[in-house]
Amino acid sequence: MPHWLDVYPHEVHASVILKNDKIKIWKVGERKLSGSYKIDDLKTRHPEYSYHEITWVVNNRDEHNAVFAKHARDWYRQWPHVDDLKGFHAYEVEEGDNQ
């Protein structure tokens, strides 16, 4: 059976958990964060958290790579990162960004 990356078209998801409207956890790939976290429970217990996701359908390797290199990063730019972010930023923070 071929790997999901080698079968087109396929979906690529970007998802994000925000804390006080800032990126706390983010992911781009075959699976969404909602598959690993109990999002409804998180939002009920901690109203300062929210969740968003977006999906792209890609038809070839170039479109697939563009999601990771450009589209997802541009989508994440609508939110700043939390001050205590563990790991990599969802996008490069440029001078003048409101971080």
Side-chain angles (χ1 to χ4, degrees), residues 11-15 27-32 54-56 76:
E11 295 181 340
V12 180
H13 310 283
S15 51
K27 176 178 176 41
V28 181
E30 176 187 20
R31 295 187 175 90
K32 305 172 188 176
I54 188 171
T55 299
W56 292 270
Y76 286 124

Side-chain angles (χ1 to χ4, degrees), residues 2 7 10-11 16 18 21 29 31 45 47 50 56 62-63 66-67:
V7 177
H10 66 250
E11 295 181 340
V16 63
L18 305 175
D21 295 320
R31 295 187 175 90
R45 292 175 182 239
S50 60
W56 292 270
D62 290 338
E63 289 180 7
V67 170

Side-chain angles (χ1 to χ4, degrees), residues 77 80-81 89-99:
R77 283 191 170 282
H81 296 90
H89 284 89
Y91 55 87
E92 286 188 37
V93 179
E94 298 173 6
E95 193 171 325
D97 280 351
N98 188 14
Q99 289 287 305

Side-chain angles (χ1 to χ4, degrees), residues 65-99:
N65 291 340
V67 170
F68 287 85
K70 179 172 182 3
H71 303 309
R73 291 179 186 198
D74 290 346
W75 181 70
Y76 286 124
R77 283 191 170 282
Q78 63 188 300
W79 303 288
H81 296 90
V82 293
D83 294 334
D84 61 344
L85 181 73
K86 304 287 189 255
F88 296 101
H89 284 89
Y91 55 87
E92 286 188 37
V93 179
E94 298 173 6
E95 193 171 325
D97 280 351
N98 188 14
Q99 289 287 305

